[in-house]
């Protein structure tokens, strides 16, 4: 009977390959920081992370992440933290960022062949050390750990320390590049901005990350729009949407989406967030829209309800929660895109950057989304209308001349633009050639 | 307007000195074969000063000048000093990818302006395309950005990020660090990082002895009206490492800079008579000339006299 059995168990090599291939290196490192953030949450400090640190060391021989965010309780380590995937009985940390049970393992396997995970909590202090090549050669899906007595460890405070050595060659080569470190810092800063704003200190090779906040322009005549959504079927999910305008930057316009404390979409300009959707969406993202900003916050005690994909780098577009919210996002953003196109862009065509609308933007205040927001927002985006100057009876005259001649005329007429040359020369002819 | 319409390149003494210094180093690179067999690619403009020198002194006769002013083609072709110079019209961003790279080359991108995404694109393209033994050099205007008193502290950093992209600006650069020659240091670092990134990407698929390396040879700071930066080095593969001995060159040439310290070219302000007089005392000690030339100028002249341009006087 046992001859008619096909062995279908995965090899460890295959498993490791599949696990690590769908996530970019920097994202994997951001996931490790997510674990620290979840640790901070478990410490029951919902809005103040000051005093909590995450220290990351990245170089060609090793990767280390060390935090003082509570450590991994022994039972969690024994039964959940080193499992691949989250078993149903594992309790989710309320409002957590970690969800799928793969972050730590995936990051470690992605980077190298040897790891140590050390954790200190109030009642336990243990370390797991493993050579992965060795581990891949056995059939057992388990790791051994040692309890640590006094004096033998790196951790003096409560927290977690993960170290990866024997780095894969391609990883080691990337860790050597200053440009990689810069990119890592920038992406970490963006992804973890909520935690940074709550006071969490994150350092990369000793350099502290700056907290950056999301901003809007606001004034008496320009107001960001905001709405809060409650979904009947999902009462534990809170959703807030903010739309408005900020600096004209083609790469930074678009939608920013947060699930609990984690930034999941950065400056999204794709059809996933409603752009270029002919049926009931927004127009295609365009340089006119470089001013627009939309910020969407999903929050829930139950992280499994949030519409993120397994790598937490994008949206699960099949999520019914997301589909409902997307409609509201589009509705709220429409007045912004309309205004940018039919008012601001029109004014630019007629009056360059000197019109009333452009001046209103230049003199607007910059408000920080976390602070004085409530007073300055309205339920719909508001901005002044552009009134086209009355051009009935006016025509446009256009022609090309040699640059040298045009420059000479500019000098002789004492004007600074070619269009002024046109105007002056026409007026000149009209006065002397026709009026007289 | 291109800067060639405002400056007569051949009268820029610091640039002349830099050019001669680089030519000296090129002459002493026997390890990669005869320097005359290299191809030279540059931005000759209408003066072709670098082409003139490198053909005469090094014997290079495969030469390409890239010229972005496509409207005055005839004038550029007319001004070529030698027949062996091919002029390709278009921006370097357009022209370089259309060229072939089997032959070892010296490429000197002497840009008119400041750093930009296009500059980095050229650097990235060349670093991952040139034949082993090739030399890539970039010259940029490194004048710090003008920042107003009431601008936020790091406005200059924001401007730099707009110019090259956020991920190319190391995070420890501040508005303060960009003042004066700090901008030149930052540009050098950004270019260096881009070269390393490009070759790391290329190396992903290579075995150990085929891995590409870059060694910086030149890091010049000088003022020619504006503050200028030149940075450049040689691309070689791991297997040929022994052929290329920088230490020997460093002993010979004190202006060879392989790290982040620049070599500053100071051009002292001297009259023709003073230059001729000082020359007659060199090589040697200049400290007891009693013409009241500032000691600093004497010391600068002594360091660079061999590379100083030769001026011809005329009756006036």
């Amino acid at each position: 009977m046992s001859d008619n059995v096909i062995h279908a168990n995965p090899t460890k090599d295959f498993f490791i390959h599949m696990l690590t291939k769908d996530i970019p290196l920097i994202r994997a490192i951001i996931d490790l920081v997510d674990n620290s953030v979840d640790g901070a949450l478990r410490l029951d400090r919902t809005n103040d992370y000051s005093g909590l640190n995450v220290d990351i060391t990245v170089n060609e021989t090793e990767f280390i992440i060390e935090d003082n965010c509570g450590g991994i309780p022994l039972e969690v380590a024994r039964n959940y933290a080193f499992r691949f995937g989250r078993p149903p009985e594992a309790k989710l940390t309320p409002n957590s960022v970690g969800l799928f049970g793969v972050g730590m393992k995936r990051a470690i396997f992605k980077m190298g062949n040897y790891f140590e995970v050390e954790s200190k909590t109030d009642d336990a202090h243990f370390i797991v050390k493993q050579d992965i090549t060795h581990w891949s050669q056995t059939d057992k899906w388990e790791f051994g750990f040692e309890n640590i007595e006094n004096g033998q460890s790196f951790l003096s405070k409560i927290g977690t320390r993960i170290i990866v050595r024997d780095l894969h060659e391609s990883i080691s080569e990337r860790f050597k590049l200053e440009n990689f470190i810069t990119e890592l810092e920038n992406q970490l800063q963006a992804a973890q901005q909520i935690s940074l704003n709550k006071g969490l200190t994150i350092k990369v090779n000793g350099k502290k990350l700056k907290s950056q906040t999301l901003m809007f322009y606001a004034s008496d005549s320009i107001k960001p729009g905001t709405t809060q959504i409650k979904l009947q079927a999902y009462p534990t999910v809170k959703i807030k949407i903010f739309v408005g305008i900020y600096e004209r930057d083609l790469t930074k316009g678009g939608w920013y989406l947060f699930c609990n404390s984690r930034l999941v979409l950065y400056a999204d300009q794709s059809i996933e967030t409603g752009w270029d959707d002919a049926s009931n969406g927004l127009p295609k993202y365009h340089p006119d829209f470089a001013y627009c900003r939309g910020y969407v916050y999903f929050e829930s005690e139950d992280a499994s309800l949030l519409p993120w994909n397994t790598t937490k780098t994008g949206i699960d577009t099949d999520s019914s929660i997301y589909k409902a919210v997307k409609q509201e996002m589009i509705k709220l953003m429409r007045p912004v895109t309309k205004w940018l196109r039919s008012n601001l862009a029109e004014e630019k065509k007629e009056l360059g950057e000197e019109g009333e609308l452009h001046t209103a933007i230049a003199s607007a205040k910059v408000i920080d989304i976390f602070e004085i927001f409530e007073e300055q927002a309205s339920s719909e985006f508001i901005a002044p209308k552009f009134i086209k100057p009355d051009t009935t009876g006016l025509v446009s005259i256009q022609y090309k001349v040699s640059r040298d001649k045009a420059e000479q005329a500019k000098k002789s007429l004492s004007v600074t633009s070619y269009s002024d040359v046109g105007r002056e020369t026409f007026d000149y002819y009209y006065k002397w050639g026709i009026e007289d | 307007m291109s800067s060639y319409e405002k400056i007569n390149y051949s009268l820029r003494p610091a640039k002349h000195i830099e050019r001669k210094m680089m030519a000296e180093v090129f002459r002493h690179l026997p390890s990669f074969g005869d320097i005359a067999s290299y191809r030279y690619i540059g931005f000759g403009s209408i003066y072709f000063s670098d082409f003139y020198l490198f053909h005469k002194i090094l014997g290079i006769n495969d030469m390409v000048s890239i010229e972005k002013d496509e409207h005055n083609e005839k004038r550029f072709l007319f001004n070529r000093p030698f027949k062996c110079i091919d002029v390709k019209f278009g921006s370097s961003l357009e022209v370089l990818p259309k060229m072939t790279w089997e032959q070892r080359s010296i490429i000197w991108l002497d840009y008119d302006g400041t750093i930009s995404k296009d500059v980095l694109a050229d650097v990235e393209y060349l670093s991952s395309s040139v034949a082993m033994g090739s030399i890539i050099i970039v010259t940029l205007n490194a004048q710090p950005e003008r920042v107003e008193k009431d601008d936020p502290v790091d406005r200059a950093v924001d401007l730099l990020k707009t110019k090259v992209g956020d991920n190319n600006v190391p995070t420890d650069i501040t508005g303060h660090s960009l003042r004066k020659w700090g901008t030149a240091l930052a540009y050098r670092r950004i270019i260096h990082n881009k070269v390393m990134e490009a070759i790391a990407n290329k190396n992903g698929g290579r075995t150990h002895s085929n891995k590409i390396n870059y060694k910086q040879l030149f890091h010049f700071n000088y003022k020619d009206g504006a503050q200028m930066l030149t940075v450049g080095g040689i691309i070689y593969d791991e297997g040929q490492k022994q052929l290329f001995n920088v230490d020997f060159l460093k002993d010979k040439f004190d202006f060879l800079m392989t790290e982040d310290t620049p070599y500053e070219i100071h051009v002292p302000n001297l009259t023709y008579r003073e230059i001729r007089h000082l020359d007659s005392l060199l090589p040697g000690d200049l400290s007891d000339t009693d013409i009241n030339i500032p000691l600093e100028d004497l010391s600068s002249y002594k360091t660079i006299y061999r590379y100083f341009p030769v001026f011809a006087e005329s009756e006036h």
Side-chain angles (χ1 to χ4, degrees):
Chain A
M1 292 309 146
S2 56
D3 287 343
N4 293 2
V5 165
I6 299 165
H7 296 281
N9 29 355
T11 61
K12 282 186 178 165
D13 280 343
F14 170 80
F15 176 78
I16 292 173
H17 174 74
M18 293 305 286
L19 182 70
T20 55
K21 79 181 191 66
D22 68 348
I23 190 162
L25 177 59
I26 290 183
R27 294 282 157 72
I29 296 174
I30 294 176
D31 275 355
L32 290 176
V33 181
D34 282 348
N35 288 344
S36 305
V37 169
D38 282 346
L41 271 170
R42 278 193 294 269
L43 290 175
D44 204 16
R45 301 166 66 141
T46 36
N47 278 310
D48 180 14
Y49 294 158
S50 46
L52 295 181
N53 310 308
V54 180
D55 281 287
I56 300 173
T57 303
V58 185
N59 60 53
E60 61 188 296
T61 46
E62 62 186 3
F63 173 90
I64 308 175
I65 179 167
E66 190 174 334
D67 71 47
N68 62 351
C69 300
I72 308 171
L74 188 55
E75 275 318 293
V76 173
R78 257 218 172 96
N79 294 309
Y80 311 129
F82 290 84
R83 295 278 292 266
F84 297 96
R86 176 167 246 110
E89 64 273 17
K91 279 184 303 213
L92 268 179
T93 304
N95 301 85
S96 71
V97 189
L99 168 65
F100 302 104
V102 286
M104 179 175 70
K105 285 80 71 181
R106 184 159 58 187
I108 291 173
F109 286 8
K110 180 116 190 148
M111 289 191 273
N113 276 317
Y114 172 80
F115 73 86
E116 291 177 13
V117 176
E118 183 184 341
S119 161
K120 185 171 191 198
T121 57
D122 273 330
D123 50 16
H125 191 175
F126 67 87
I127 186 164
V128 178
K129 294 185 196 179
Q130 189 69 55
D131 177 307
I132 293 170
T133 333
H134 217 98
W135 182 80
S136 310
Q137 285 154 5
T138 71
D139 269 337
K140 300 210 200 114
W141 291 74
E142 53 190 42
F143 298 105
F145 72 90
E146 303 162 26
N147 278 315
I148 296 180
E149 309 307 320
N150 291 330
Q152 280 178 36
S153 79
F154 290 100
L155 285 180
S156 51
K157 292 184 273 208
I158 286 175
T160 309
R161 183 176 192 262
I162 300 171
I163 182 164
V164 184
R165 292 206 179 106
D166 194 10
L167 299 174
H168 301 308
E169 191 175 354
S170 59
I171 301 292
S172 175
E173 291 293 308
R174 285 190 75 186
F175 282 359
K176 273 200 269 197
L177 297 176
E178 182 162 48
N179 277 356
F180 171 80
I181 305 290
T182 304
E183 195 186 346
L184 171 64
E185 289 175 63
N186 287 338
Q187 287 205 33
L188 251 181
Q189 206 166 279
Q192 302 292 356
Q193 57 185 267
I194 290 185
S195 304
L196 285 167
N197 278 304
K198 288 184 184 174
L200 181 68
T201 302
I202 304 178
K203 287 194 195 152
V204 177
N205 289 342
K207 227 187 290 165
K208 192 170 156 179
L209 295 184
K210 287 187 265 208
S211 61
Q212 66 186 67
T213 41
L214 295 174
M215 320 277 218
F216 281 124
Y217 287 141
S219 69
D220 291 330
S221 56
I222 300 177
K223 297 209 187 295
T226 181
T227 185
Q228 244 177 264
I229 302 176
K230 282 243 163 60
L231 297 170
Q232 270 186 347
Y234 303 98
T236 57
V237 182
K238 289 192 229 136
I239 302 133
K240 276 196 231 164
I241 309 178
F242 304 99
V243 297
I245 54 173
Y246 188 47
E247 278 177 354
R248 183 177 64 189
D249 185 330
L250 193 66
T251 57
K252 299 204 173 128
W255 287 104
Y256 295 70
L257 235 110
F258 294 85
C259 287
N260 285 345
S261 322
R262 169 77 181 265
L263 177 72
V264 167
L265 281 185
Y266 177 93
D268 192 279
Q269 302 157 358
S270 75
I271 200 167
E272 280 194 346
T273 49
W275 300 100
D276 200 13
D277 188 354
S279 58
N280 212 26
L282 297 166
K284 189 167 156 89
Y285 184 80
H286 180 274
D288 283 348
F289 304 141
Y291 288 93
C292 87
R293 300 289 190 279
Y295 309 130
V296 188
Y297 296 88
F298 290 85
E299 244 186 77
S300 177
E301 281 192 358
D302 181 355
S304 68
L305 292 176
L306 300 180
W308 40 10
N309 60 20
T310 53
T311 52
K312 287 187 273 180
T313 57
I315 288 298
D316 172 13
T317 43
D318 290 329
S319 150
S320 42
I321 291 184
Y322 180 66
K323 285 188 190 155
V325 172
K326 186 170 157 192
Q327 281 316 307
E328 298 299 315
M329 282 162 58
I330 292 171
K331 249 200 319 202
L332 203 63
M333 182 62 95
R334 262 212 203 95
V336 183
T337 52
K338 248 192 167 164
W339 182 80
L340 285 172
R341 191 158 256 174
S342 4
N343 285 272
L344 194 69
E346 281 302 308
E347 186 190 75
K348 184 152 187 214
K349 265 194 235 156
E350 301 280 337
L351 304 169
E353 307 213 343
E354 265 115 55
E356 208 186 281
L357 270 54
H358 281 84
T359 319
I361 290 180
S363 56
K365 230 181 353 177
V366 173
I367 60 170
D368 164 337
I369 200 169
F370 291 106
E371 297 183 279
I372 40 175
F373 198 87
E374 314 301 356
E375 327 162 28
Q376 315 259 12
S378 83
S379 63
E380 192 184 283
F381 173 72
I382 292 173
K385 288 249 170 314
F386 170 59
I387 303 159
K388 243 180 158 180
D390 187 2
T391 53
T392 46
L394 298 181
V395 299
S396 164
I397 301 177
Q398 251 186 2
Y399 47 89
K400 287 201 194 295
V401 298
S402 92
R403 187 200 297 267
D404 291 338
K405 286 190 179 162
E407 288 294 321
Q408 280 182 324
K410 245 209 267 185
K411 271 208 191 101
S412 137
L413 290 164
S414 298
V415 294
T416 50
S417 73
Y418 293 139
S419 56
D420 283 339
V421 170
R423 262 186 276 274
E424 297 281 321
T425 50
F426 183 86
D427 288 344
Y428 182 88
Y429 170 72
Y430 193 84
K431 187 166 164 60
W432 298 106
I434 296 184
E435 255 176 10
D436 284 348
Chain B
M1 285 163 83
S2 298
S3 65
Y4 80 83
E5 290 175 81
K6 291 182 250 175
I7 306 166
N8 182 344
Y9 278 16
S10 56
L11 290 184
R12 293 164 69 183
K15 196 139 195 73
H16 184 103
I17 290 165
E18 167 188 69
R19 212 179 291 134
K20 279 194 160 166
M21 285 177 166
M22 296 199 317
E24 277 285 275
V25 171
F26 296 153
R27 247 174 7 130
H28 287 83
L29 287 175
S31 31
F32 280 105
D34 188 10
I35 193 72
S37 68
Y38 273 60
R39 172 178 58 173
Y40 176 72
I41 301 169
F43 297 155
S45 189
I46 47 170
Y47 296 104
F48 293 94
S49 315
D50 45 347
F51 288 79
Y52 191 87
L53 186 76
F54 296 147
H55 176 69
K56 279 211 137 181
I57 293 201
L58 305 174
I60 294 178
N61 53 31
D62 182 349
M63 310 189 104
V64 177
S65 178
I66 299 177
E67 180 49 59
K68 63 181 191 267
D69 183 351
E70 299 170 81
H71 301 291
N72 291 312
E73 209 175 300
K74 287 210 186 103
R75 193 173 184 200
F76 291 99
L77 293 173
F78 176 82
N79 279 291
R80 288 174 298 164
F82 303 110
K83 200 167 96 167
C84 57
I85 302 173
D86 179 19
V87 184
K88 293 195 192 292
F89 292 91
S91 69
S92 48
L93 197 65
E94 297 162 341
V95 171
L96 292 172
K98 292 192 195 140
M99 297 175 66
T100 59
W101 299 97
E102 285 89 37
Q103 186 186 7
R104 287 192 188 122
S105 308
I106 295 171
I107 306 117
W108 187 358
L109 302 177
D110 188 352
Y111 294 99
D112 272 345
T114 181
I115 204 167
S116 69
K117 287 187 181 135
D118 285 356
V119 167
L120 291 187
D122 285 345
V123 168
E124 186 174 359
Y125 174 75
L126 287 176
S127 304
S128 48
S129 310
V130 295
M132 297 298 108
S134 293
I135 297 170
I136 303 172
I137 307 153
V138 172
T139 296
L140 292 169
N141 178 321
Q143 194 67 24
E145 286 280 357
R146 274 209 66 186
V147 181
E148 308 300 323
K149 274 214 186 100
D150 22 301
D151 274 338
V153 158
D154 285 332
R155 171 127 183 85
V157 183
D158 291 335
L159 289 170
L160 182 56
K161 284 184 180 171
T162 319
K163 277 199 273 207
V164 300
D166 287 7
N167 286 334
N168 290 313
V169 180
T171 53
D172 57 356
I173 289 181
T174 61
H176 189 85
S177 70
L178 288 174
R179 281 167 33 201
K180 302 194 189 167
W181 286 101
T183 294
L185 282 178
Y187 288 1
R188 184 218 78 106
R189 204 168 152 196
I190 291 172
I191 290 173
H192 186 90
N193 287 343
K194 189 50 78 177
V195 175
M196 300 312 280
E197 188 186 343
I199 64 185
N201 286 337
K202 195 102 195 274
N203 278 335
R206 294 188 165 216
T207 57
H208 183 75
S209 58
N210 284 329
K211 287 218 187 275
I212 307 173
N213 277 321
Y214 163 79
K215 184 79 182 175
Q216 183 183 290
L217 299 173
F218 307 116
H219 180 187
F220 292 112
N221 279 168
Y222 56 95
K223 262 188 113 121
D224 248 346
Q227 284 174 209
M228 304 296 288
L229 162 79
T230 292
V231 56
I234 187 162
I235 302 268
Y236 62 99
D237 63 37
E238 194 61 28
Q240 294 175 297
K241 198 163 66 164
Q242 311 91 294
L243 286 182
F244 183 63
N245 183 358
V246 202
D247 297 327
F248 142 75
L249 285 173
K250 269 171 116 162
D251 293 335
K252 216 170 161 37
F253 301 113
D254 67 340
F255 52 80
L256 206 76
M257 309 304 273
T258 56
E259 311 291 330
D260 44 11
T261 314
Y263 183 88
E264 295 169 16
I265 301 179
H266 288 298
V267 180
N269 210 342
L270 303 168
T271 67
Y272 302 134
R273 284 190 73 178
E274 287 165 348
I275 287 172
R276 285 215 292 271
H277 174 71
L278 293 177
D279 279 348
S280 68
L281 302 172
L282 288 165
D285 188 3
L286 293 182
S287 54
D288 46 331
T289 53
D290 58 354
I291 327 174
N292 288 337
I293 295 174
L295 278 176
E296 190 191 71
D297 283 350
L298 288 179
S299 150
S300 297
Y301 188 70
K302 184 173 165 175
T303 322
I304 50 163
Y305 81 96
R306 288 203 302 120
Y307 307 98
F308 216 77
V310 176
F311 294 105
E313 278 190 71
S314 64
E315 298 300 318
H316 46 190

